[in-house]
Amino acid sequence: MELKKPLEKELKKEFMAKAISLADNNVSHMEGGPFGAVIVKDGEIIGTGKNQVTSHNDPTAHAEIQAIRDAAQKLNSYDLAGCEIYSSCEPCPMCLGAIYWAHLDKLYYAATKDDAAAADFDDSFIYKEFSLPKEERSIPSVQMMREDAVKVFDNWIHSENKIPY
């Protein structure tokens, strides 16, 4: 039993090393930003991702999102409970939200958001925006047609075919 903890710790280091390697390889090949992530289930990597924002012209193609997409496809499930994510850097607000939505059990990260900010990947303005009243945010937010949209929620509530998530 005493061997389990050191072996587990070494395995976790291997998973993080893989995430960091994906980030480094991404920089070497100029495929996107310096970020990598892996998703692990039962001690095996089941999903990998690297930042592909610029190579895919997709602002959501962050490493964590890509790893979540890969793992979800391989597991054929939107629910990644029972899995852990290893990220080369502390996730941005979008990725952190996706980690929660995917129901991942645990997040491990290497570099901090301050380390990322020092490399010109600063997400602090987004966190600040979240705390502002909608009318003070830099992107105007206008509500419209609420009644029509609420009817769709009512249809969902009463649907017998819905798959809750």
Side-chain angles (χ1 to χ4, degrees), residues 93-159:
M94 176 185 68
C95 292
L96 188 57
I99 288 166
Y100 277 96
W101 278 115
H103 304 125
L104 289 160
D105 290 358
K106 197 165 195 175
L107 160 66
Y108 297 91
Y109 63 91
T112 68
K113 61 184 176 184
D114 295 327
D115 298 324
D120 290 330
F121 293 96
D122 190 357
D123 299 323
S124 63
F125 76 96
I126 297 173
Y127 287 106
K128 289 176 190 170
E129 287 282 309
F130 288 160
S131 66
L132 293 173
K134 291 178 189 136
E135 58 276 2
E136 293 179 27
R137 294 179 184 167
S138 63
I139 297 177
S141 180
V142 180
Q143 183 181 20
M144 55 187 283
M145 299 181 67
R146 179 180 177 269
E147 295 79 14
D148 294 337
V150 169
K151 288 177 188 174
V152 178
F153 284 124
D154 289 339
N155 290 341
W156 170 261
I157 290 167
H158 296 96
S159 174

Side-chain angles (χ1 to χ4, degrees), residues 11-70:
L11 201 52
K12 289 179 186 308
K13 285 182 178 180
E14 286 181 31
F15 298 144
M16 186 59 77
K18 175 65 174 175
I20 294 169
S21 174
L22 286 166
D24 190 42
N25 190 47
N26 215 33
V27 172
S28 299
H29 291 90
M30 300 299 289
E31 294 177 352
F35 304 97
V38 299
I39 294 180
V40 174
K41 183 177 177 85
D42 300 327
E44 291 187 38
I45 294 175
I46 59 156
T48 63
K50 58 187 178 179
N51 181 288
Q52 296 177 304
V53 169
T54 57
S55 61
H56 287 176
N57 292 317
D58 180 353
T60 68
H62 290 201
E64 296 89 345
I65 301 291
Q66 299 294 72
I68 289 168
R69 290 172 177 161
D70 188 34

